[in-house]
Amino acid sequence: QIYFRIIVLGDTAVGKSSLLRCFAEGPGGGGVGAATPCPTVGVEFYSRTILLPPAGKAKLQLWDTAGQERFRSITRSFYRSAAGVLLVFDLTNRASFEHVPEWYREAAGDRPPTFVLVGHKCDLAAERVVSVEEAGHLAATLGMAFVETSARSNLNVELAFQMLAGGIQRALGQGGLTPHQGCGGIRLIPGQSRRRPPARGEPRERCQC
């Protein structure tokens, strides 16, 4: 099994938390009947293990980041250790789409992680202000895949994360990304599920993120 650290970026109120909850907890977590989540403060954490074709599993450690500018200094520290980024905009909010290149530049750094562009709230067809063609063109320009999703309708939510995990796997195979020791964005997980507790007087390992 392998571990991928994934962050979800985008403007505030584009539906990042709903998308993540729908994926991590099932449709009830962010879909029909779910209360509108409050804006994320700093970073929230989820995890889920998925099947990764052709034969394997990946544990996704999912970080939900705040979109507000005042939390940017907190969330920025997580960019460097991410193996993949879901870059989310709201199909009914033109400004959130126009901010995508800015989010991309901020998260890409020197060694860009794998990106997937997500146009969220596609169930609100009458209110959309960004076309499939326009979003697809931007994604191609930035060198990433594009998918439209709806947490409310549970549409393509699973697909978005599978696309990202598959992209990370391909980058690994091509040598673009490498597993890290410690607490990097990609880590090989030993088959043994239990670890020996430290003996008396033996220092515990500390994550140096």
Side-chain angles (χ1 to χ4, degrees):
Q1 188 178 347
I2 194 164
Y3 150 113
F4 297 152
R5 179 176 293 175
I6 288 169
I7 59 174
V8 183
L9 295 180
D11 282 9
T12 188
V14 297
K16 299 186 298 295
S17 297
S18 296
L19 198 65
L20 262 174
R21 289 173 188 169
C22 185
F23 175 70
E25 302 171 2
V32 177
T36 302
C38 296
T40 301
V41 177
V43 177
E44 292 181 2
F45 165 79
Y46 300 84
S47 69
R48 184 180 152 188
T49 299
I50 63 168
L51 294 176
L52 197 62
K57 291 181 179 179
K59 182 174 184 179
L60 306 185
Q61 187 185 70
L62 308 160
W63 295 92
D64 180 14
T65 62
Q68 297 102 314
E69 181 65 37
R70 62 197 171 105
F71 295 119
R72 202 69 71 86
S73 61
I74 300 172
T75 59
R76 195 175 282 123
S77 63
F78 289 88
Y79 299 168
R80 292 186 296 275
S81 60
V85 175
L86 274 191
L87 215 171
V88 184
F89 71 94
D90 179 351
L91 288 160
T92 71
N93 180 335
R94 183 78 194 176
S96 71
F97 174 70
E98 292 173 349
H99 293 157
V100 164
E102 180 184 334
W103 283 107
Y104 172 76
R105 286 191 298 270
E106 192 161 304
D110 298 328
R111 298 188 64 187
T114 300
F115 283 86
V116 169
L117 182 63
V118 175
H120 196 218
K121 306 184 185 180
C122 66
D123 57 296
L124 302 176
E127 300 173 39
R128 72 180 294 156
V129 292
V130 180
S131 69
V132 176
E133 293 76 18
E134 190 176 15
H137 177 72
L138 177 61
T141 301
L142 297 175
M144 63 181 75
F146 170 63
V147 62
E148 293 191 350
T149 62
S150 167
R152 183 177 293 276
S153 305
N154 191 25
L155 180 66
N156 291 341
V157 174
E158 193 87 14
L159 176 62
F161 287 91
Q162 287 284 354
M163 286 170 65
L164 186 57
I168 297 170
Q169 186 182 42
R170 284 191 297 277
L172 269 173
Q174 295 164 3
L177 293 169
T178 55
H180 300 283
Q181 296 299 319
C183 46
I186 301 171
R187 194 165 72 240
L188 299 173
I189 302 174
Q192 220 172 356
S193 59
R194 292 192 172 188
R195 299 180 62 186
R196 177 184 65 83
R200 183 176 296 176
E202 180 180 341
R204 293 178 179 270
E205 291 183 27
R206 294 192 64 187
C207 183
Q208 301 298 323
C209 290

